[in-house]
Amino acid sequence: MSLATQAAFAPAHVGSKHSSMKGTRVVAAAPMRAAAQRAVKVTAMSGTNEPLALDPTVSFFMVRAMIRPWRLEKVVLSLNAAGIRGLTTYPVKGSGVQGGSAERYAGTEFNMGNLVEKMCVEVVVVRDQVQDVVDTIIDASQTGEIGDGKIFITPVADVIRVRTGEVGKAAEKMAGGRSDILQKDNSVKEA
């Protein structure tokens, strides 16, 4: 499947969280004319299949996502739109389920003997934001094919802002970030 076709299969933000929704996408291979486009039924996910089971005694979690490199921009923009301002990205190589299947990226085919290039996206957030961050990453990076990646969630003991020495929630909070957006939305609803 070409990158253009894969992009057309990208899940949209459809339906409610934790449920599978079926949708229709119009897919056109590069050389096809508009009249020759075909409608294809696909299953679009909206985040995880079920709510995350997080330790209620932990205040902060690191969400570490291994995604396809060409999905990085969409993931970063989606997280930014969701109010997630602080994140780290870096390239990684590895193999997983797709090790037995060939994956194509940038004109190169990878198989069992090769490590596949991915991008790692790391975000540290308060417990209340973990589900939203995970769902946002899934929605922005999922193609429905082997090799979409994995997301790991690990507890973080504490957060310290180096510039000010702030510790805990004060250090994690970013001006104009998700907490501010949610607080603003709640104050508008109350008014």
Side-chain angles (χ1 to χ4, degrees), residues 38-55:
R38 56 190 172 88
V40 178
K41 282 281 193 190
V42 296
T43 301
M45 297 296 294
S46 181
T48 60
N49 292 335
E50 56 190 62
L52 299 173
L54 301 173
D55 182 346

Side-chain angles (χ1 to χ4, degrees), residues 2-170:
S2 73
L3 293 180
T5 306
Q6 289 176 358
F9 274 100
H13 295 277
V14 183
S16 63
K17 295 221 183 273
H18 313 118
S19 64
S20 297
M21 306 301 278
K22 293 197 185 245
T24 302
R25 301 265 193 245
V26 176
V27 180
M32 295 176 74
R33 288 188 228 148
Q37 291 179 346
R38 56 190 172 88
V40 178
K41 282 281 193 190
V42 296
T43 301
M45 297 296 294
S46 181
T48 60
N49 292 335
E50 56 190 62
L52 299 173
L54 301 173
D55 182 346
T57 65
V58 177
S59 297
F60 304 103
F61 290 87
M62 177 181 288
V63 178
R64 180 179 292 126
M66 308 300 168
I67 61 169
R68 296 174 189 270
W70 51 274
R71 289 292 199 181
L72 178 64
E73 182 178 5
K74 186 174 180 183
V75 168
V76 171
L77 291 173
S78 295
L79 287 169
N80 195 11
I84 303 303
R85 303 287 183 246
L87 58 87
T88 302
T89 68
Y90 51 91
V92 295
K93 290 183 179 183
S95 65
V97 173
Q98 84 277 11
S101 304
E103 177 178 336
R104 294 183 192 274
Y105 171 70
T108 304
E109 187 172 289
F110 297 90
N111 59 29
M112 185 97 158
N114 296 322
L115 295 177
V116 179
E117 291 183 14
K118 300 284 185 189
M119 288 300 292
C120 183
V121 178
E122 292 180 342
V123 183
V124 175
V125 292
V126 293
R127 182 180 48 252
D128 297 344
Q129 296 178 2
V130 175
Q131 182 74 56
D132 291 335
V133 167
V134 169
D135 290 343
T136 299
I137 292 170
I138 290 172
D139 290 345
S141 62
Q142 188 178 61
T143 67
E145 294 185 0
I146 292 174
D148 275 349
K150 286 269 199 276
I151 299 175
F152 304 97
I153 302 168
T154 53
V156 173
D158 213 344
V159 178
I160 300 103
R161 188 182 311 266
V162 174
R163 178 177 52 86
T164 62
E166 294 170 301
V167 178
K169 288 188 179 185

